[in-house]
Amino acid sequence: MKLYIINPDNGQLVTPKDWQKEENPTRANFVVIENNDGTRFQMSKSRIADGARLTFDDAKKKAAEAEIDGYSGFNLGSLDNWASVYEARFIEGDMDLDGVLKLIGGDDLFNWCWVDRAFQSYSNAAWVFGGNRGNLGNGGRLSTYYARVFRAF
């Protein structure tokens, strides 16, 4: 697993080690997580809606409408995306995801966030992910949780 930062000037991927040399590293808005199978996705450094807690449907709508640094087509992140986010918090040797988010001025991962998937068997609930311990749970669609945006890269 590897982590990158998207340079907002040119869209190029930069390693966290190289991004540390930037005069203003907090201007970056995304982390790219590359899984061991080579698949990549980008995740926003911050929670959407100015960090407000949202219902599931509002979070999905805000994610779909988001446009950041010219990127669009976002969602709330799949179960697999969130599993990778948790795993990236414990990368050894290089800077882990918590360190990268701190470098670019992002929000921590310690709160429950919506996953981009409602329950199939119970339409009033959707998945939520707790980044602190990697817990997966369910929340009523009218409950409010935080949200981040994701997209394939």
Side-chain angles (χ1 to χ4, degrees), residues 134-151:
N135 297 338
L136 186 61
N138 67 316
R141 289 173 75 127
L142 297 178
S143 299
T144 59
Y145 295 98
Y146 296 106
R148 287 184 190 261
V149 293
F150 292 74
R151 70 186 288 277

Side-chain angles (χ1 to χ4, degrees), residues 15-121:
T15 65
K17 183 178 179 179
D18 288 338
W19 193 252
Q20 285 178 307
K21 300 171 191 168
E22 281 290 314
E23 186 175 321
N24 181 13
T26 61
R27 64 191 182 88
N29 288 308
F30 294 102
V31 175
V32 171
I33 296 176
E34 182 178 305
N35 291 308
N36 293 332
D37 65 3
T39 59
R40 293 176 175 170
F41 64 91
Q42 68 188 79
M43 177 186 80
S44 62
K45 75 175 183 179
S46 300
R47 299 177 196 109
I48 61 173
D50 295 323
R53 292 168 55 108
L54 303 166
T55 66
F56 178 71
D57 293 326
D58 287 344
K60 281 188 70 98
K61 183 177 186 239
K62 293 237 184 246
E65 294 171 348
E67 186 173 323
I68 305 168
D69 290 349
Y71 294 100
S72 59
F74 293 104
N75 61 57
L76 298 175
S78 68
L79 293 169
D80 287 339
N81 289 152
W82 280 104
S84 294
V85 165
Y86 184 70
E87 184 179 340
R89 293 189 61 218
F90 305 101
I91 293 174
E92 292 183 21
D94 293 322
M95 189 180 299
D96 63 21
L97 183 55
D98 293 328
V100 173
L101 287 171
K102 184 175 180 180
L103 171 68
I104 64 175
D107 295 328
D108 63 52
L109 294 165
F110 297 125
N111 296 296
W112 289 93
C113 287
W114 288 113
V115 174
D116 197 48
R117 186 167 158 205
F119 274 46
Q120 292 178 347
S121 60

